[in-house]
Short mmCIF file of all heavy atoms in Angstrom, two decimals:
data_model
loop_
_atom_site.label_atom_id
_atom_site.label_comp_id
_atom_site.label_asym_id
_atom_site.label_seq_id
_atom_site.Cartn_x
_atom_site.Cartn_y
_atom_site.Cartn_z
N LEU A 184 29.47 13.83 53.09
CA LEU A 184 30.43 13.34 52.09
C LEU A 184 31.80 14.00 52.23
O LEU A 184 32.84 13.34 52.05
CB LEU A 184 29.89 13.59 50.68
CG LEU A 184 28.78 12.65 50.20
CD1 LEU A 184 28.28 13.08 48.83
CD2 LEU A 184 29.24 11.19 50.16
N LEU A 216 28.88 13.44 44.30
CA LEU A 216 30.23 12.88 44.26
C LEU A 216 31.04 13.41 43.06
O LEU A 216 32.22 13.75 43.21
CB LEU A 216 30.17 11.35 44.28
CG LEU A 216 29.79 10.77 45.65
CD1 LEU A 216 29.31 9.34 45.53
CD2 LEU A 216 30.97 10.87 46.61
N CYS A 310 33.50 -12.00 33.90
CA CYS A 310 32.24 -12.00 34.66
C CYS A 310 31.81 -10.57 35.01
O CYS A 310 32.58 -9.80 35.60
CB CYS A 310 32.40 -12.81 35.93
SG CYS A 310 30.97 -12.73 37.03
N PHE A 311 30.57 -10.23 34.66
CA PHE A 311 30.06 -8.88 34.93
C PHE A 311 30.07 -8.58 36.42
O PHE A 311 30.48 -7.51 36.85
CB PHE A 311 28.64 -8.74 34.38
CG PHE A 311 28.53 -8.86 32.90
CD1 PHE A 311 27.65 -9.78 32.33
CD2 PHE A 311 29.29 -8.07 32.05
CE1 PHE A 311 27.53 -9.90 30.95
CE2 PHE A 311 29.18 -8.18 30.68
CZ PHE A 311 28.30 -9.10 30.12
N LEU A 429 14.92 -39.46 42.44
CA LEU A 429 14.92 -38.03 42.14
C LEU A 429 13.98 -37.62 41.01
O LEU A 429 13.26 -36.63 41.13
CB LEU A 429 16.35 -37.57 41.83
CG LEU A 429 17.28 -37.55 43.04
CD1 LEU A 429 18.73 -37.37 42.61
CD2 LEU A 429 16.89 -36.44 44.01
N ALA A 450 -7.78 -22.46 53.52
CA ALA A 450 -8.07 -22.46 54.96
C ALA A 450 -7.92 -21.06 55.54
O ALA A 450 -8.70 -20.65 56.41
CB ALA A 450 -7.14 -23.44 55.67
N GLN A 469 -1.66 -17.57 70.18
CA GLN A 469 -1.82 -18.68 71.14
C GLN A 469 -3.22 -19.28 71.05
O GLN A 469 -3.40 -20.50 71.14
CB GLN A 469 -1.56 -18.17 72.56
CG GLN A 469 -0.08 -17.93 72.84
CD GLN A 469 0.17 -17.58 74.29
OE1 GLN A 469 -0.74 -17.20 75.02
NE2 GLN A 469 1.42 -17.69 74.72
N ALA A 475 -8.25 -26.71 65.78
CA ALA A 475 -8.03 -27.80 64.83
C ALA A 475 -7.27 -27.33 63.60
O ALA A 475 -6.47 -28.09 63.02
CB ALA A 475 -9.38 -28.39 64.41
N MET A 516 29.97 -31.95 33.00
CA MET A 516 28.71 -31.81 33.73
C MET A 516 28.78 -30.76 34.83
O MET A 516 27.85 -30.62 35.62
CB MET A 516 28.31 -33.16 34.34
CG MET A 516 28.02 -34.24 33.31
SD MET A 516 27.88 -35.89 34.06
CE MET A 516 26.62 -35.63 35.29
N ASP A 543 7.91 -23.14 68.16
CA ASP A 543 7.45 -22.06 69.04
C ASP A 543 7.90 -20.69 68.53
O ASP A 543 7.21 -19.70 68.71
CB ASP A 543 7.98 -22.27 70.47
CG ASP A 543 7.31 -23.46 71.15
OD1 ASP A 543 6.21 -23.83 70.70
OD2 ASP A 543 7.90 -24.02 72.08
N ALA A 628 7.67 29.96 57.92
CA ALA A 628 6.64 30.92 58.34
C ALA A 628 6.10 31.72 57.16
O ALA A 628 4.91 32.05 57.10
CB ALA A 628 7.20 31.85 59.41
N ALA A 633 -0.38 26.53 56.41
CA ALA A 633 -0.82 25.23 56.96
C ALA A 633 -2.20 25.39 57.57
O ALA A 633 -2.39 26.19 58.50
CB ALA A 633 0.18 24.73 58.00
N LEU A 676 -8.43 5.98 48.52
CA LEU A 676 -7.88 6.69 47.35
C LEU A 676 -8.75 6.42 46.11
O LEU A 676 -9.15 7.35 45.40
CB LEU A 676 -6.44 6.24 47.10
CG LEU A 676 -5.66 6.89 45.94
CD1 LEU A 676 -4.16 6.83 46.23
CD2 LEU A 676 -5.92 6.20 44.61
N VAL A 679 -12.31 8.08 46.35
CA VAL A 679 -12.30 9.54 46.22
C VAL A 679 -11.90 9.94 44.80
O VAL A 679 -12.49 10.85 44.21
CB VAL A 679 -11.34 10.17 47.27
CG1 VAL A 679 -11.22 11.67 47.04
CG2 VAL A 679 -11.86 9.88 48.68
N VAL A 796 -0.24 23.39 52.93
CA VAL A 796 -0.49 22.03 53.41
C VAL A 796 -1.84 22.06 54.12
O VAL A 796 -2.08 22.91 55.00
CB VAL A 796 0.59 21.54 54.40
CG1 VAL A 796 0.23 20.17 54.95
CG2 VAL A 796 1.95 21.51 53.73
N LYS A 806 -7.50 15.48 69.72
CA LYS A 806 -6.94 14.42 70.56
C LYS A 806 -5.66 14.92 71.23
O LYS A 806 -4.90 15.71 70.65
CB LYS A 806 -6.60 13.18 69.73
CG LYS A 806 -7.80 12.59 68.96
CD LYS A 806 -8.85 12.03 69.91
CE LYS A 806 -9.97 11.33 69.12
NZ LYS A 806 -11.06 10.87 69.99
N ILE A 811 1.61 16.08 69.63
CA ILE A 811 2.92 15.51 69.25
C ILE A 811 3.13 15.68 67.74
O ILE A 811 4.23 16.01 67.29
CB ILE A 811 3.00 14.02 69.65
CG1 ILE A 811 2.76 13.86 71.16
CG2 ILE A 811 4.35 13.43 69.25
CD1 ILE A 811 2.62 12.42 71.61
#
Side-chain angles (χ1 to χ4, degrees):
L184 285 175
L216 287 162
C310 174
F311 296 126
L429 289 168
Q469 286 186 342
M516 296 169 55
D543 291 338
L676 181 154
V679 174
V796 176
K806 302 294 185 185
I811 302 171

